[in-house]
Amino acid sequence: GPIGVAQMAGEVAERGIMSLLNFVAFLSINLGIMNLLPIPALDGGHLIVLSIEAIRGKPLSSKVMGAIQMVGFAIILAITAIATFLDLTK
């Protein structure tokens, strides 16, 4: 979670700049991979929607797209809340 990442960044920073840069690079790669998950509102979710639209041959309505984005946002918010809660209870 975000609190654990901040704590780890502080610990890694004490080891030197190269360790910190390696840690930041790892976080960046991890974020890129997580962004490809098929959760609406993330890039992976957009790829799924684009695939559905290609199969259907027409775009989804704005009402459906809005609902999909809201579900995706709720999923991301829930994951963030759970990760933060687990960090705080650790």
Side-chain angles (χ1 to χ4, degrees):
I3 296 170
V5 170
Q7 288 174 342
M8 287 180 65
E11 293 170 11
V12 171
E14 292 175 357
R15 295 186 204 149
I17 189 72
M18 287 309 294
S19 294
L20 183 59
L21 289 175
N22 285 333
F23 181 71
V24 170
F26 172 76
L27 284 178
S28 180
I29 292 168
N30 189 20
L31 180 60
I33 292 170
M34 296 298 285
N35 197 31
L36 291 175
L37 289 174
I39 297 173
L42 296 179
D43 289 340
H46 288 292
L47 290 173
I48 298 291
V49 169
L50 289 173
S51 299
I52 291 170
E53 289 178 344
I55 291 169
R56 291 181 65 215
K58 60 182 179 177
L60 296 172
S61 71
S62 60
K63 190 175 186 179
V64 170
M65 285 298 296
I68 290 171
Q69 295 299 323
M70 290 302 291
V71 168
F73 181 72
I75 291 169
I76 294 168
L77 194 60
I79 290 170
T80 303
I82 290 168
T84 302
F85 174 75
L86 292 175
D87 271 352
L88 291 172
T89 58
K90 195 177 354 172

